[in-house]
Amino acid sequence: MKLVVGVDSLEAFAQLQARQVFDYEGQAAVPCWTRFAPKRADELVRTGGSLYRVIKNRMQCRQKVLGFEMFEIEGAGKKCMICLDPEIITTVSTPHRPFQGWRYLEPAKAPADKGVYVIGQSEDEPPEELGEHLRAAGLL
């Protein structure tokens, strides 16, 4: 899991990601920068792991991890670029408190997928807080 900072919605995040696409070993990818490479990097790539994203205190989507690259950035030291599939998969939106860095998410605790996000798609669901109450009541 990793926080998305500086965007207010999944739509804004998707637009930002669309502007950052690059070629990574012959396939389209988008970057996610972090300070340190994960200890379980090989496992994440080998098992088809995903990076789940928290936007405005809600886990809303995920992207498949394609690989990791380390870079020396002048004036900033070493940075790790997590190379992600640009396809954004929406998940059942779940509340999540802010945290620093990134965290591993156990598969049993991962929210269910809803489908591929398409920029400009309209949501057919109620606002998140109302949806949360309806899900808790078994109505969604």
Side-chain angles (χ1 to χ4, degrees), residues 2 17-18 31 38 43 58 66 74 96 98 119 136 138 140:
K2 188 152 175 50
Q17 293 282 278
E43 174 188 345
R58 301 193 73 77
L66 302 175
E74 190 173 325
H96 205 286
I119 293 175
L140 274 182

Side-chain angles (χ1 to χ4, degrees), residues 11-132:
E11 176 77 11
F13 175 66
Q15 290 174 355
L16 175 67
Q17 293 282 278
R19 292 189 301 267
Q20 297 179 341
V21 175
F22 68 97
D23 180 75
Y24 177 70
E25 297 182 356
Q27 58 188 345
V30 291
C32 177
W33 292 93
T34 188
R35 178 174 267 171
F36 301 107
K39 291 177 173 65
R40 295 164 54 183
D42 291 337
E43 174 188 345
L44 289 170
V45 174
R46 184 174 48 359
T47 62
S50 291
L51 183 65
Y52 285 78
R53 306 309 295 263
V54 177
I55 302 169
K56 287 293 186 185
N57 297 326
R58 301 193 73 77
M59 191 178 311
Q60 298 188 37
C61 63
R62 69 179 180 87
Q63 292 168 283
K64 183 179 175 190
V65 175
L66 302 175
F68 299 87
E69 298 291 332
M70 292 301 295
F71 290 92
E72 184 72 37
I73 311 271
E74 190 173 325
K78 285 190 175 189
K79 297 280 185 182
C80 178
M81 179 175 63
I82 305 170
C83 302
L84 302 170
D85 189 320
E87 182 176 76
I88 296 171
I89 311 224
T90 58
T91 61
V92 171
S93 180
T94 55
H96 205 286
R97 294 183 352 182
F99 56 93
Q100 289 187 350
W102 54 275
R103 305 282 184 271
Y104 288 103
L105 177 64
E106 296 304 320
K109 294 183 179 180
D113 289 348
K114 290 178 17 182
V116 175
Y117 184 80
V118 177
I119 293 175
Q121 79 181 23
S122 63
E123 287 288 324
D124 292 335
E125 292 189 5
E128 294 304 330
E129 287 184 30
L130 176 59
E132 195 174 297

